[in-house]
Amino acid sequence: MKKSNVLTRCATVRFWSRTVGSAILGLTLAAVSTGAQQIKWGLTVTNINNPIPPIIVTNGDGSISITAGGGDTYGAPDSFTYAYQQVTGDFDIAVQVVNVTATDPLGQDSPKGSLMVRTTLDGTSYDYQINALPLAPSGRNGQIESIGRLDLSIDTDDLPGKALNYGGDTTDYGYCTYPDVWLRMKRQGDKLMSFFATTNITDYPGGASPMSTNGWQLLTTIPAGTNFPKTLYVGLSTVAHNSNIADTTHTVTSTYANYGPTGTPHSTASSGGTPVPANEAPGPFPNTHVLAANISGSVSSDGMGYPPNIVQSSQGTAQPIIWNTGDGFGGVTRDIIASITSQSPDGFCFARYQAGAFDFMLSPRDPVAALQNLGPYSNPLRERFGTGDVTVPASQAWVPSPTHGFVFATVNKTGQVWNDQSPFFYAAAYVQLDGVATGEGYDMIGGHFRGGQFYTRTTKLVTGALPNPASQGPTSGSLQRCAIPISLAWFPYDQGWIGGYFDDSHNFDLSNPGRPYWKHGDGWALQSGTALKGAAAKGGQTWYNSPTNLLTWVYDNNFGTYDGLATLSLPGVNSLTDGMLLTVGNDENNGIRGPQANNAALPDGSGWYVAVRDIETSKADPTVYAMTGGSDAGSSFSFLYIPWNADNLVAGYIRGTNAAVIHGAGNFTVQRLSTGRYALTIPGKTAASGALLLQNSGYLAVQPTGYTNVVDTSYLSYEYGGTNTPANAFIIQALSVVPDGGEGVVTPRDADFNFVWVDFQNPLAPPGTVPPVLSITRSGNNVVVSWTNGPGFVLQKTSSLSPVSWTNLGTQNPQTIPMTAGPQFYRVVSP
């Protein structure tokens, strides 16, 4: 429950409390079995379908050993010993498993020391568990597995995950490095996750996930759905794994230590398996608010540049910068002058940067020192690092993870020309997610120092004639990179945003062509905890973590396959009235300009069309979508839903033909200056105040023959002030590429679009997460009461605080109320 501000007539007194059933804030304990035994950590021990009374020993080092018999927790009914507590709401619990020993490890094969979540204490309950298994001679030889009963008709089963065996839920041998084995389970909204941490630093798949070391490695993810209610049983599951449940001879003894809420920070910064000193660690974990930055990318006025990995004060003679010559990162061709011109206080940095790519990182330890490698050539510390290092301030930050948030980029300049032997150009931006960003920082899951997964790309819509014959044009197959300013934003899932990363329409599942997947495979948590909220599982347990309920790839009759056109629906959301969708392509694949991902609300409000196109190959025909193979960009994309009642929201859905505000939130005005050109004014805000995000979100005004709902292909960019008129506005530009037999011609075109303002000091947030602030002003014999964060709150008043009796005054904001002789107190509350 959220309690809002309480104010007197003369002064503002802010009160805000939050009651959360969370293991982080204090676990709710309950013993529900008659005669059950209370043990350490406030846990209650009971046997479930198990004939052998458990033996619990408290050891001298504070650990406890539980000896149990019975059968297994793989088939129904379960048979094991359970030491549990009840937890309501979000939780994050970990335990150290010191050892797992069995009377017959070879015959019992896979006895377990586990963390388990259950809905009931019945033997056939829905459950979810992560298990540490014994070393040889057990055939499991130190594996860690995560299994669950998510569909009662199918019973307990393997789960999609990121490990080596059984579809990804089980590691290779040797991951249980007793006594240093840690298991962890976390609930975050509608998402349940299992993690482990051991001294085995093997990274599987290679380069694709953080090494374990002393951090955490994500194993599986499931949606809570309706099967896992708000209140659950959580605790230690000790399993003998006897084929005969009635076996009273063979037992298992699992020793546990340090059970309880997972410590903070979320990850322990480490390098090479060793925790780093405080002066090399990253800054605050970036999961509490939206971060944004305006990043400048340019070429020096004389067109000369330098190679990377050399501090500027030690550089040799400058050499000409010539785009698209095929020169790699190690040469001069991709040199760029970069800076962060404005950003959130604990925002961004990047050690590695080139052309249109920024290997960005979040929340550096020292925000000032982290930018010392940027700026002009006159900065002696300027350096385009090849990778980064734990001693580099720009690397002492968090590498953004798609398991933890959504990233969006917008071009922040309406056209540019540089002295790089290339003509004037217009640009588009996207966010590449391929796990091979070489700029290094600390991973958000495990804390391990490693290369990143995201980087930005900016690309020329049309390259134009290249005067220098040595330069390679678009027919070379080289990416048409460019240096141009961008705005960048990070939305952390822990705040409650709905979002995720979808895999390509060609998902390599020949038995289910066109089936939607989360990017890099289901079970990787590449979606927010609320992404599947309200979506009923379909197709059996093996599909539980698939976005089948959200996304449908549309079959292309022209090509006889699935490509980059999809419909996206969110349960309970009307796309015409409830909110907007941000979409961005995440896979340039072999395309020379990368992907474009626009969207438009379905006419009946049931969702959105999302059109992912290869920028180059779709120019001549807007019904050609990204095919993933060949020279096309990939069709994978990411999305974020922003409801119109989000806190601190300044945003709008704008009709391109006349700048009419179809939907809006916050204080702003917009006008159409000319075809495809608009002036957005946000009172009191400039480019130094925040970042603007733009999304094409409409249909083509002139539909191709035989079509009615083809999503627009326009490209959006903006810039603030400067020589533009009006000078205090954000000038937004919508462009299209008209085929001309060559690369095409860029021309202005009206386009429907969404914009989102991310304020650096007061960023938007999911509804109800930012406390409202009341203000009271006098107007004659009345008071005017208003509050921030718009709709969703009820104003109340009382004439006394002891005793107190609140009267509802409704949701109108502001309200004018006559003054009375006695005191009056006001507050706003969630309905």
Side-chain angles (χ1 to χ4, degrees):
M1 178 184 295
K2 296 180 174 64
K3 295 183 180 178
S4 54
N5 311 350
V6 179
L7 291 88
T8 68
R9 292 176 299 161
C10 303
T12 299
V13 183
R14 298 182 62 189
F15 295 93
W16 183 263
S17 64
R18 179 180 298 173
T19 302
V20 181
S22 169
I24 300 299
L25 302 179
L27 297 172
T28 304
L29 311 181
V32 298
S33 293
T34 304
Q37 179 181 356
Q38 294 286 322
I39 64 168
K40 190 172 181 175
W41 304 310
L43 300 179
T44 301
V45 176
T46 188
N47 264 354
I48 295 178
N49 196 32
N50 180 358
I52 300 180
I55 300 173
I56 294 92
V57 176
T58 300
N59 304 307
D61 59 1
S63 65
I64 63 170
S65 296
I66 299 178
T67 299
D72 194 11
T73 52
Y74 195 88
D78 293 330
S79 173
F80 68 109
T81 294
Y82 197 32
Y84 66 86
Q85 59 186 153
Q86 279 188 283
V87 180
T88 300
D90 285 359
F91 60 83
D92 194 337
I93 295 176
V95 69
Q96 179 185 5
V97 182
V98 179
N99 209 345
V100 177
T101 60
T103 54
D104 182 9
L106 185 61
Q108 291 170 251
D109 185 55
S110 56
K112 303 170 179 65
S114 312
L115 265 179
M116 175 185 280
V117 172
R118 300 180 69 84
T119 59
T120 71
L121 297 180
D122 181 80
T124 58
S125 167
Y126 294 103
D127 66 19
Y128 178 49
Q129 57 193 289
I130 181 168
N131 312 319
L133 303 173
L135 301 175
S138 165
R140 304 302 298 273
N141 192 16
Q143 290 179 313
I144 295 174
E145 67 177 8
S146 186
I147 57 178
R149 184 181 292 115
L150 312 183
D151 185 330
L152 298 184
S153 66
I154 297 176
D155 204 7
T156 309
D157 201 354
D158 295 311
L159 305 174
K162 55 169 290 299
L164 179 65
N165 299 298
Y166 306 113
D169 69 5
T170 303
T171 69
D172 201 356
Y173 303 120
Y175 272 82
C176 284
T177 54
Y178 300 113
D180 293 319
V181 175
W182 291 79
L183 306 180
R184 173 185 172 193
M185 301 203 81
K186 177 180 180 180
R187 181 172 192 161
Q188 176 188 314
D190 199 51
K191 180 192 292 184
L192 289 165
M193 294 167 279
S194 64
F195 303 80
F196 67 88
T198 76
T199 61
N200 187 333
I201 63 173
T202 304
D203 190 17
Y204 182 85
S209 61
M211 287 184 262
S212 177
T213 64
N214 60 317
W216 294 104
Q217 190 163 171
L218 178 68
L219 189 53
T220 63
T221 306
I222 66 169
T226 58
N227 295 336
F228 292 86
K230 188 174 182 180
T231 298
L232 295 170
Y233 295 91
V234 183
L236 305 175
S237 166
T238 307
V239 181
H241 196 258
N242 292 314
S243 57
N244 180 3
I245 290 177
D247 187 336
T248 59
T249 303
H250 298 105
T251 62
V252 62
T253 300
S254 297
T255 299
Y256 306 97
N258 299 303
Y259 175 90
T262 304
T264 55
H266 287 58
S267 303
T268 303
S270 62
S271 178
T274 303
V276 300
N279 64 348
E280 294 178 355
F285 199 77
N287 69 327
T288 60
H289 57 276
V290 178
L291 301 175
N294 294 314
I295 300 173
S296 174
S298 65
V299 174
S300 64
S301 59
D302 61 2
M304 306 293 281
Y306 300 88
N309 301 326
I310 303 173
V311 69
Q312 192 62 40
S313 58
S314 300
Q315 292 280 12
T317 304
Q319 302 171 51
I321 298 173
I322 307 173
W323 291 116
N324 303 319
T325 61
D327 187 4
F329 180 77
V332 176
T333 289
R334 302 186 189 179
D335 192 15
I336 186 175
I337 297 174
S339 64
I340 296 180
T341 56
S342 56
Q343 66 169 328
S344 304
D346 51 352
F348 294 77
C349 60
F350 39 91
R352 187 180 190 271
Y353 54 99
Q354 53 121 343
F358 298 101
D359 293 4
F360 59 93
M361 282 169 279
L362 306 169
S363 189
R365 178 186 59 83
D366 187 332
V368 175
L371 305 184
Q372 69 183 18
N373 66 308
L374 307 178
Y377 296 148
S378 59
N379 173 20
L381 299 177
R382 177 188 177 275
E383 183 169 356
R384 280 195 304 138
F385 295 98
T387 56
D389 186 87
V390 292
T391 62
V392 173
S395 289
Q396 293 165 356
W398 295 101
V399 172
S401 171
T403 63
H404 282 69
F406 169 85
V407 179
F408 193 82
T410 294
V411 172
N412 189 353
K413 194 74 168 66
T414 56
Q416 189 63 67
V417 63
W418 304 117
N419 186 10
D420 59 357
Q421 304 189 39
S422 294
F424 184 94
F425 65 90
Y426 299 98
Y430 56 96
V431 179
Q432 180 77 359
L433 170 57
D434 56 16
V436 297
T438 53
E440 292 182 311
Y442 294 96
D443 185 85
M444 295 181 72
I445 297 176
H448 187 78
F449 192 80
R450 56 163 289 160
Q453 295 170 282
F454 288 116
Y455 50 94
T456 65
R457 283 288 198 200
T458 49
T459 182
K460 297 176 180 178
L461 301 182
V462 171
T463 306
L466 298 174
N468 188 321
S471 299
Q472 295 182 354
T475 57
S476 69
S478 297
L479 274 170
Q480 302 302 289
R481 302 176 178 88
C482 63
I484 199 163
I486 63 171
S487 294
L488 187 65
W490 162 260
F491 291 78
Y493 286 153
D494 281 357
Q495 274 195 289
W497 296 108
I498 295 175
Y501 295 80
F502 292 120
D503 201 358
D504 289 315
S505 55
H506 297 73
N507 50 49
F508 310 110
D509 185 352
L510 299 179
S511 63
N512 292 287
R515 175 190 163 190
Y517 283 84
W518 300 117
K519 193 170 176 68
H520 294 316
D522 292 341
W524 281 48
L526 295 191
Q527 77 275 2
S528 68
T530 53
L532 288 170
K533 188 174 183 179
K538 296 180 180 179
Q541 181 164 316
T542 57
W543 282 28
Y544 82 93
N545 200 34
S546 168
T548 304
N549 301 287
L550 306 182
L551 188 77
T552 300
W553 290 111
V554 177
Y555 188 78
D556 191 329
N557 291 312
N558 292 330
F559 291 92
T561 185
Y562 294 90
D563 47 28
L565 181 63
T567 58
L568 172 62
S569 300
L570 300 175
V573 171
N574 186 313
S575 58
L576 295 173
T577 59
D578 294 349
M580 71 178 74
L581 198 70
L582 296 182
T583 49
V584 58
N586 296 138
D587 183 13
E588 63 196 17
N589 192 41
N590 296 318
I592 65 173
R593 302 190 195 277
Q596 176 198 43
N598 293 339
N599 66 73
L602 294 171
D604 62 359
S606 62
W608 293 264
Y609 279 120
V610 179
V612 187
R613 299 178 173 99
D614 179 276
I615 293 175
E616 182 68 14
T617 60
S618 67
K619 287 177 179 177
D621 187 348
T623 67
V624 173
Y625 303 99
M627 297 289 291
T628 301
S631 60
D632 259 13
S635 57
S636 68
F637 72 96
S638 53
F639 81 96
L640 185 87
Y641 172 67
I642 300 178
W644 290 116
N645 64 341
D647 292 349
N648 291 343
L649 182 63
V650 178
Y653 176 39
I654 310 302
R655 182 74 70 213
T657 53
N658 57 8
V661 179
I662 308 304
H663 292 289
N667 188 10
F668 68 89
T669 58
V670 62
Q671 64 180 120
R672 180 179 180 271
L673 303 177
S674 60
T675 301
R677 193 169 177 85
Y678 313 89
L680 170 68
T681 302
I682 305 175
K685 304 301 181 182
T686 69
S689 309
L692 192 65
L693 309 180
L694 300 174
Q695 174 70 63
N696 187 304
S697 50
Y699 294 97
L700 282 171
V702 179
Q703 291 284 312
T705 302
Y707 293 86
T708 59
N709 291 316
V710 176
V711 178
D712 197 2
T713 58
S714 296
Y715 302 88
L716 297 168
S717 59
Y718 82 97
E719 58 187 63
Y720 179 81
T723 59
N724 293 296
T725 301
N728 64 340
F730 298 88
I731 306 301
I732 298 170
Q733 183 170 263
L735 300 171
S736 66
V737 181
V738 178
D740 67 346
E743 289 186 275
V745 177
V746 179
T747 182
R749 185 174 71 194
D750 290 333
D752 298 348
F753 64 91
N754 282 310
F755 79 86
V756 181
W757 172 253
V758 182
D759 197 86
F760 293 149
Q761 299 300 325
N762 298 293
L764 70 158
T769 58
V770 176
V773 178
L774 265 68
S775 63
I776 301 177
T777 59
R778 181 170 179 170
S779 177
N781 293 324
N782 301 314
V783 292
V784 178
V785 183
S786 62
W787 59 93
T788 61
N789 294 344
F793 294 97
V794 176
L795 181 66
Q796 296 181 336
K797 76 171 183 177
T798 182
S799 58
S800 172
L801 295 178
S802 181
V804 62
S805 178
W806 293 102
T807 300
N808 286 346
L809 299 180
T811 59
Q812 180 181 334
N813 180 17
Q815 292 193 32
T816 301
I817 303 170
M819 290 191 297
T820 61
Q824 292 290 324
F825 303 91
Y826 298 92
R827 73 177 185 179
V828 289
V829 298
S830 299

